[in-house]
Amino acid sequence: MPADENHVVAFYNPISRDQILASLAAQRGQLAHLAPEELFPYDQDHYGGLEAVDALADCAAIGPGKQVADFCAGLAGPARYLAHEYGATVTCIELNPGRAPGAADLTRRVGLDRQVRIVRGDVTRTPLAGDTMDAVSSVRLNNELNH
């Protein structure tokens, strides 16, 4: 990973897949047969929560069959919500090498891996073909500067 990517990854230390699964296991007693909406209270790692994602979907006219790119997708909470609630197909781009696999695992666990694809990559070098997306989303991270 180039030095500038290391700086970005080191700066942002958000919730993890393991934290989400631990919370769900404590609440449910087990992790089998998770539904997408069970993740929503835990996986919206950004300001505004689901209301912000709904506002974004409304502004971008996201609905069934729309192709959405989610830049800096984190654990893909907004992407799963857009897929489940709006019927969109979402390609997530996430730089952090630990969060991309976590996002893919959570997505698989709730059965949305056909609608939500996780790509580990840098959004400044987006691995998407031109003119393939109907919308691009990125929600502001819930993060504080600690410099």
Side-chain angles (χ1 to χ4, degrees):
M1 188 180 327
D4 57 332
E5 288 182 20
N6 284 328
H7 176 73
V8 171
V9 170
F11 165 74
Y12 183 56
N13 186 21
I15 62 170
S16 71
R17 175 200 70 128
D18 293 341
Q19 289 170 310
I20 291 172
L21 292 177
S23 295
L24 285 166
Q27 177 190 12
R28 298 172 90 237
Q30 48 83 27
L31 295 173
H33 311 291
L34 287 172
E37 55 272 6
E38 290 180 277
L39 291 180
F40 300 155
Y42 305 102
D43 68 356
Q44 301 301 310
D45 190 15
H46 56 86
Y47 291 114
L50 295 177
E51 289 179 12
V53 183
D54 284 329
L56 181 143
D58 185 50
C59 287
I62 295 172
K66 294 290 185 173
Q67 297 287 324
V68 179
D70 185 1
F71 286 2
C72 306
L75 289 174
R80 282 187 295 276
Y81 183 75
L82 291 171
H84 182 68
E85 294 295 318
Y86 290 89
T89 300
V90 186
T91 300
C92 300
I93 311 296
E94 174 54 40
L95 179 64
N96 188 309
R99 287 176 56 89
D105 179 56
L106 291 170
T107 301
R108 181 192 52 75
R109 285 175 184 263
V110 297
L112 289 173
D113 46 327
R114 289 182 181 249
Q115 281 179 268
V116 178
R117 179 175 72 121
I118 313 298
V119 176
R120 203 257 176 216
D122 181 346
V123 298
T124 65
R125 294 184 290 274
T126 304
L128 299 172
D131 298 330
T132 60
M133 297 291 139
D134 297 305
V136 175
S137 72
S138 184
V139 292
R140 184 180 170 102
L141 303 173
N142 188 6
N143 189 37
E144 295 179 24
L145 290 174
N146 294 316
H147 294 297

